[in-house]
Amino acid sequence: MANNTGRFARRRGFLTLWALFFLTMVSLFIGLLSVAQAARRETTNELIRSTRQSTRRLEQGRPRDVKHGRSPKQRQRLLE
C-alpha cells in the first residue's frame, strides 16, 4: 500500500475525506434534482394557465362568431 493511505483513513476526525466528498456530491445531486423538479412544475403550471386562458377566449368569442358569421381567419386574428 502507498504511504499516503493515512490521509484517507479515519483517525481523529469524525468524517474521512472520501465520506465528506461523497456526502457533498449526494447533497449537490439532490439539490439539482429539486431545482429541476421545481422548474418542471413551473413550466407545467404556465402551460396549463396559457391553455385555460386560450380556451376561455375561444369560449367567450364563440357566440359572437356564430352570431356574426366570422370566418376562421377572422377568429384567429381576434385571438392574437
Side-chain angles (χ1 to χ4, degrees), residues 2-19:
N3 291 337
N4 60 1
T5 56
R7 273 193 274 166
F8 302 108
R10 183 176 178 183
R11 286 198 174 179
R12 296 181 186 146
F14 179 71
L15 293 175
T16 61
L17 185 60
W18 66 268

Side-chain angles (χ1 to χ4, degrees), residues 7-58:
R7 273 193 274 166
F8 302 108
R10 183 176 178 183
R11 286 198 174 179
R12 296 181 186 146
F14 179 71
L15 293 175
T16 61
L17 185 60
W18 66 268
L20 185 61
F21 177 73
F22 176 76
L23 290 174
T24 303
M25 296 313 290
V26 167
S27 65
L28 285 174
F29 183 69
I30 290 173
L32 182 66
L33 285 179
S34 64
V35 167
Q37 188 68 19
R40 182 178 174 193
R41 192 177 312 116
E42 183 61 31
T43 302
T44 303
N45 288 339
E46 190 173 329
L47 181 63
I48 291 170
R49 206 175 308 121
S50 173
T51 303
R52 285 181 181 162
Q53 192 176 36
S54 297
T55 305
R56 201 174 310 122
R57 272 196 217 136
L58 284 172

Side-chain angles (χ1 to χ4, degrees), residues 53-80:
Q53 192 176 36
S54 297
T55 305
R56 201 174 310 122
R57 272 196 217 136
L58 284 172
E59 288 174 351
Q60 289 172 352
R62 187 181 309 145
R64 287 183 308 212
D65 293 341
V66 172
K67 184 176 179 181
H68 297 294
R70 291 192 170 114
S71 69
K73 285 185 181 179
Q74 289 172 331
R75 278 183 254 145
Q76 184 63 30
R77 272 190 249 131
L78 286 173
L79 291 175
E80 293 173 353

